[in-house]
Amino acid sequence: MPAQEVNFDGLVGPTHNYAGLSLGNVASMTHGGGTSHPREAALQGLAKMKFLADLGLPQAVLPPQERPSITVLRSFGFGGADDAAVLAVTARQAPEILAACSSASSMWVANAATVTPSVDAADGRVPFPPANLIAKFHRSIEPPQTQRTLRAIFHDEANFAVHDPLPGGQALGDEGAANHTRFAPTHAMSGLHFFVYGHRAFGSKSDEGPRKFPSRQSFESFAAICRRHQLSEASTVFAQQSPEVIDAGVFHNDVISVGNENVLLYHEGAFVQTHGVIDELRRSFRALSGGTDLIPIEVPRDLVPLADAVSSYLFNSQIVTLAPGRMALIAPANCAETPSVKAYIETLLAAPRTPLREVHYFDLKQSMHNGGGPACLRLRVVLNDDELAALPPGVRLNDKSYSALVAWVNQHYREQLTAADLADPCLLDESRRALDELTQLLGLGAIYPFQL
Ligand code: SUG
């Protein structure tokens, strides 16, 4: 059956702010304490979605989470007569917890789940295991709402299976699709799944991991997902992310490599024994696809130093298929502003040996300042025609829904936010009003704690 890749992009939530919450994420660490611009952030994300939809690519949206999360604050014992009192007492006693519970981090939906298409699944359904995001407190509170949201959108149990997140704490730390790449000759065909982990929870030596920054994704979490999704051994390849790149600020694999169909763009230093990993991917892909060759594109250090790769977010570009054998790079504007990266992209597009033919730069600076580029903002879901028809139509992006969402952002989002604003009870009310209206726009019914 025909199938297409649908990009589900996370809408930036009304509390988008810079709290410096992510150790190991250089942009988040650098911009912590700055003033954010939630309206601009949401409009930048929508502009990227609209561009992809206009290219003829199926595009959909995922709603943000409710923040600040009063549910989580109450569970920590911050009490009061009403929600405004809960905010006030938290702001007074533990502003750092209020900041963490106010993050709009659910916008980076590449971390929402690890999705594999039904063509690869034993039971013929698309599985959605919400990532537990256990490595960072502010993200570890996302999975319950992620699960409710996914259940509202992928409600048709004949076609979709929304799982529980992995249990197991740190040992099973899971960051979702940010560390997973699927290769296939075309999206509709059976695929090879590439899982990149930062560490092994069991049996590894202490000198094998990164020294400066933590690794978030464990080998064991992806092994569990492979078992749950019943992926065959022949259809999976595992690789360890290089500790050196984690220490340079590569907190997810999608900051150092990106794939699409039969193409993999990666930095020379991305993996432990990169060349061995690429050989294994080539062999496995050839065997699984019945002879199609993988096209690995290695970006050498001497053309793009690691620091430029991290600051420009070259590898957090999306690669999308425009027509058979023709792909485009959807890149952050920062790439055009980084001389080594800009020159590299120009050379790459001029080379006839890859399907990459065009580049489109996007100003996503609001999200980028927290370490989220084009690829972080989207969750790729390959859906066949039946599965596509089972989606609530309101989540698809088209001219009409785009205009409605832009008007919705302009009506409800603040122009700017600072840390002090997070304690403002009006911000909570505004956010809830916005989300309540959004669920109606998207046709999702009640999904948030304040609506239930
Ligand atoms: O988990 N930043 C996110 C960025 C996630 C990017 N996603 C992918 N690479 N797929 C993170 O580190 C920063 C929030 C703050 O500091 O306010 C943050 O959570």
Side-chain angles (χ1 to χ4, degrees), residues 19-22 25 28 108 111 138-139 178 216 252 254 370-371 376:
L21 299 173
S22 283
N25 168 343
S28 153
W108 300 298
N111 305 113
H138 70 289
R139 305 220 58 183
R216 300 196 198 182
H252 289 136
D254 67 6
N370 255 339
C376 301

Side-chain angles (χ1 to χ4, degrees), residues 312-375:
S312 70
Y313 256 41
L314 165 64
F315 296 96
N316 206 259
S317 299
Q318 293 173 244
I319 302 180
V320 294
T321 304
L322 303 174
R326 186 175 180 87
M327 298 185 189
L329 205 58
I330 308 298
N334 307 51
C335 291
E337 294 153 13
T338 308
S340 65
V341 173
K342 183 158 192 281
Y344 176 79
I345 291 176
E346 279 163 13
T347 314
L348 173 66
L349 298 184
R353 68 187 175 92
T354 89
L356 280 160
R357 296 271 67 92
E358 38 190 276
V359 59
H360 302 279
Y361 294 107
F362 283 85
D363 179 0
L364 293 165
K365 288 215 170 73
Q366 284 296 313
S367 166
M368 287 282 287
H369 284 176
N370 255 339

Side-chain angles (χ1 to χ4, degrees), residues 14 49 91 248 297 332 412:
M49 295 184 219
I297 308 172
H412 293 286

Side-chain angles (χ1 to χ4, degrees), residues 246-269:
I246 294 179
D247 280 340
V250 178
F251 56 99
H252 289 136
N253 176 58
D254 67 6
V255 179
I256 204 69
S257 82
V258 54
N260 178 56
E261 292 188 331
N262 62 334
V263 168
L264 174 64
L265 180 72
Y266 62 98
H267 192 267
E268 180 184 357

